[in-house]
Amino acid sequence: MAVRTLVLRANLACISASVNSHVKHSWEETKKLQYSKVSRRIGGIATMASVLLAGDAVFNKEGANGFEFGMVPLDEQTVEQAEGGVRGHAQALLGVKSLLESESWKEAQKELRRNSAYLKQDLYTIINSKPGIQRPPLRKTYKDLFTNVVNLDYAARDKDAATVWECYKNIVITVDDLLSRI
């Protein structure tokens, strides 16, 4: 019995030492894992908070008005709808003149972007409904019109009155040309 106790004590010391080192190692690993989980959680929470807070800015319709979500998708717009709206949208685009005269640059940019988006959609639908031989000159005029619209937008951003009026004059000429062809 005395021998058995001696053997058990020797093995227990050995087992106890290995368990303690294993527990110590395991505790350090657990601590590291716990900190990494916490930092991942904090990172995830920070990301979600920024997404939620930025969501209002991204989907706010009063923002830049660069995208119009209220428009009819191109595949659902009929040629009759486009022809019915093209003159009104062209007049609305030319109606930016009053904002340009008062030098309300930001408001002019917003109106220009909104009205040009509607006009662009209408013209695209109309041009695609035309026979193939009539499309290239209409596409060239379409490209010229919206190049001038973009240039006017940049000029209004830079508050360059001379370039604004030059682009506006080109837009008026191009809109008249397009409306006479359609």
Side-chain angles (χ1 to χ4, degrees), residues 74-126:
L74 284 175
D75 57 347
E76 294 179 12
Q77 186 180 29
T78 64
V79 177
E80 293 79 24
Q81 288 174 333
E83 287 174 345
V86 73
R87 294 199 187 281
H89 293 140
Q91 290 303 320
L93 180 67
L94 298 178
V96 175
K97 183 178 183 179
S98 61
L99 293 170
L100 295 174
E101 287 172 342
S102 67
E103 295 186 356
S104 301
W105 303 116
K106 290 287 182 187
E107 290 79 18
Q109 282 182 294
K110 288 178 184 178
E111 287 298 311
L112 181 73
R113 290 172 185 166
R114 183 174 58 237
N115 294 325
S116 68
Y118 287 125
L119 182 62
K120 189 178 232 182
Q121 180 178 356
D122 290 341
L123 289 174
Y124 183 83
T125 303
I126 291 170

Side-chain angles (χ1 to χ4, degrees), residues 33-49:
L33 186 61
Q34 185 179 17
Y35 286 128
S36 69
K37 283 183 181 179
V38 169
S39 63
R40 274 191 242 151
R41 284 185 191 145
I42 291 172
I45 291 169
T47 302
M48 290 304 294

Side-chain angles (χ1 to χ4, degrees), residues 15 18 36 69 71 74 79 86 90 126 131 148 164 166 173 181:
I15 292 172
S18 65
S36 69
F69 296 111
M71 293 191 306
L74 284 175
V79 177
V86 73
I126 291 170
N148 281 309
V164 164
E166 180 183 332
I173 292 168
R181 289 184 189 187

